[in-house]
């Protein structure tokens, strides 16, 4: 069974204080690892897809990296508007050669204080 | 606005009742996915349709069913509702069966069973 564990569950940072969020996963045949941002009462917003170990992607103050067992979301010099819940998800290859639905972690609730 | 439209936004109903949630995917997207988000379980994949056909199934209860119509909109039917079915239900869409660009989520339907 595919599993995704995110840590920490919650993180409070000062504005400008860089940090990393962790996503550990086990999956039978990784098709892709996804990062989403979710604001309260809204649907998840797509950030990145990573496909293979060693891959990195960046968007503004966010950088996602991938190894064979985990992914990190690095947040550099965060601003209050970066406050949100960050979700990690994996997609496995199914037996038919296609892709299953996403298996999500429970998220990291990030608060950036001014 | 993500381009994925879900109606209604809120729904309150009694135990034992049946409800239908509706989703219109982003223009051009052929796949529709349904997810359930509860406080204790996080986001759980329910079912995927691609161009009118069921493509993948997750943790969907037998009391729940879905379909995708020729105009590509989808409906999720929940019957014999229980208190534990109270949750946010999200629809997501993507251009194909899997996506290099992530899945675009709607803003969700909040279901409350009383």
């Amino acid at each position: 069974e595919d599993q995704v564990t995110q840590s920490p569950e919650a993180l409070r940072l000062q504005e400008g204080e860089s940090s990393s969020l962790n996503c550990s996963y086990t999956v039978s045949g990784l098709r892709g690892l996804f990062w989403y941002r979710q604001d309260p009462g809204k649907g998840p917003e797509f950030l990145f897809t990573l496909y293979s170990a060693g891959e990195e992607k960046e968007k503004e103050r966010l950088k996602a990296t991938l190894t064979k067992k985990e992914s990190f979301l690095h947040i550099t010099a965060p601003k209050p508007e970066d406050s949100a819940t960050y979700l990690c998800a994996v997609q496995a290859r199914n037996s038919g050669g296609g892709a299953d639905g996403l298996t999500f972690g429970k998220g990291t609730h990030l608060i950036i204080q001014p | 606005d993500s381009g994925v439209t879900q109606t209604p936004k809120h729904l309150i109903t009694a135990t034992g009742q049946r409800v239908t949630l509706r989703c219109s995917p982003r223009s051009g997207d052929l796949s529709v996915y349904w997810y359930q988000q509860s406080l204790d379980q996080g986001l759980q994949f329910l079912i995927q349709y691609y161009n009118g056909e069921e493509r993948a199934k997750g943790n969907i209860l037998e009391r729940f069913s879905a379909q995708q119509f020729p105009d590509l909109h989808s409906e999720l039917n929940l019957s014999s509702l229980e208190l534990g079915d109270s949750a946010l239900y999200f629809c997501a869409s993507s251009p194909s069966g899997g996506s290099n660009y992530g899945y675009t989520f709607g803003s969700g339907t909040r279901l409350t069973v009383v």
Side-chain angles (χ1 to χ4, degrees), chain A residues 36 38 46 51 91 102 106, chain B residues 35 37 40 100-101 103:
Chain A
Y36 283 85
Q38 186 174 24
F46 172 72
Y51 294 100
Q91 186 180 45
L102 301 182
K106 294 190 176 181
Chain B
Y35 287 83
Q37 187 174 39
D40 56 340
N100 292 334
Y101 307 103
Y103 300 77

Side-chain angles (χ1 to χ4, degrees), chain A residues 31 34 36 38 41-46 49 51 57 87 91 94 99-106, chain B residues 33 35 37 40-43 45 48 55-56 90 97-107 110:
Chain A
R31 189 178 185 280
F34 298 77
Y36 283 85
Q38 186 174 24
K42 296 190 176 181
E45 177 188 340
F46 172 72
T49 309
Y51 294 100
K57 287 192 177 173
L87 299 167
Q91 186 180 45
N94 62 29
D100 287 338
L102 301 182
T103 298
F104 280 85
K106 294 190 176 181
Chain B
Y33 309 78
Y35 287 83
Q37 187 174 39
D40 56 340
Q41 293 293 323
L43 265 166
F45 169 64
Q48 177 202 356
R55 176 64 68 94
F90 287 105
S99 177
N100 292 334
Y101 307 103
Y103 300 77
T104 304
F105 281 79
S107 57
R110 182 174 295 280

Side-chain angles (χ1 to χ4, degrees), chain A residues 14 24 93 111:
Chain A
Q14 292 295 123
S24 298
R93 301 180 190 280
I111 298 173

